[in-house]
Amino acid sequence: MNSVCVYCGSAFGRDPAYLAAATATGVAIAGARLTLVYGGARVGLMGAVADAALASGGRVVGVMPRDLVEREIAHPGLSELHVVNSMHERKWRMAELADAFLTLPGGAGALEEMFEQWTWAQLGFHAKPSGFLDVGGYFRPLREMIARMVDADFLAPAYADMLIYAAEPGEALEAFARYTPPAPKWGGPPARDSD
C-alpha cells in the first residue's frame, strides 16, 4: 500500500472531534510514508487533513474539477494537483491514484464516493479496502443500515464485512494493510491491482 484516499466534509462540522480526527488522519498517513489522495480543497475537513499531512512532511495529491478550481477553493500548497473536467473524472482519477479508501465524517459527497468504491470492490473492479473513521459514533447509523441490508438479504455478509470501521487513523491503516478481498459478487477470482 502506497497511498490512501480520504473522503470527508468540505465543512468542519459541529463537533471539534471531527477536526481533531482529520488532523490525526493527515499526520498518520504522512507518518506511515503514504501519499494522501483527496479532493484537493483547502476548506473544511478536506483542507485540515491535507494541511496536517503536509505539515508532517507527507506527500498530498489533490484531484479537483476545473470549475471548482476556478472558484478558488483549490488548496494552494499541494505536492500535486490534478485538474479534471468533471466530477466523474475526479472520482475515477482518485480511485486510480489510491490503494485504499478512508471516509471521515462528511455529507452526501463523502458517502457517495465511498459507496461507489465499495460497490466497485464487490463487483471485482478493484481489490482495494474501504473503511470509515467512526468519530464519536458518526457512522453508527450507517453501520446499522448496512446490517439491515444483510438481514433483508440484499447484501451478502462477506460484502458487509469488507468495510472497515476504526476509531483511530492508525487502526484503519493497519486494517487496510491486512485486508484480503472476498470473491467478486458475480464469480471469478478477486481483482488484482496492477500497481
Side-chain angles (χ1 to χ4, degrees):
M1 185 170 69
N2 297 307
S3 58
V4 176
C5 180
V6 172
Y7 303 127
C8 58
S10 58
F12 289 108
R14 183 174 293 128
D15 190 336
Y18 303 146
L19 175 57
T23 300
T25 298
V27 170
I29 290 171
R33 298 182 184 271
L34 299 169
T35 296
L36 168 65
V37 177
Y38 86 118
R42 61 177 169 77
V43 296
L45 297 185
M46 294 175 72
V49 72
D51 287 342
L54 290 166
S56 298
R59 183 168 183 269
V60 180
V61 177
V63 183
M64 183 174 280
R66 187 173 313 284
D67 63 338
L68 293 180
V69 172
E70 290 169 358
R71 292 181 209 173
E72 299 181 352
I73 66 166
H75 195 297
L78 301 180
S79 309
E80 194 174 320
L81 178 64
H82 295 250
V83 179
V84 296
N85 294 316
S86 69
M87 288 296 287
H88 291 293
E89 190 178 348
R90 178 195 215 181
K91 291 186 295 179
W92 182 259
R93 188 69 183 130
M94 290 168 75
E96 284 183 321
L97 292 168
D99 297 320
F101 307 94
L102 181 61
T103 302
L104 278 60
L111 289 180
E112 185 264 340
E113 290 168 321
M114 172 58 89
F115 268 70
E116 183 168 68
Q117 295 310 321
W118 180 37
T119 300
W120 289 358
Q122 289 177 53
L123 295 173
F125 295 160
H126 67 70
K128 302 172 184 181
S130 297
F132 296 92
L133 193 63
D134 194 16
V135 183
Y138 185 81
F139 291 111
R140 190 175 301 124
L142 177 63
R143 194 171 189 175
E144 291 168 358
M145 183 65 226
I146 291 168
R148 187 168 183 179
M149 292 176 188
V150 173
D151 290 343
D153 205 22
F154 284 110
L155 180 69
Y159 302 131
D161 293 343
M162 293 170 84
L163 294 173
I164 292 160
Y165 299 88
E168 300 292 333
E171 179 187 350
L173 297 180
E174 289 172 11
F176 287 164
R178 295 190 310 266
Y179 177 75
T180 301
K185 183 174 183 177
W186 302 115
R192 297 194 63 183
D193 298 312
S194 58
D195 42 70

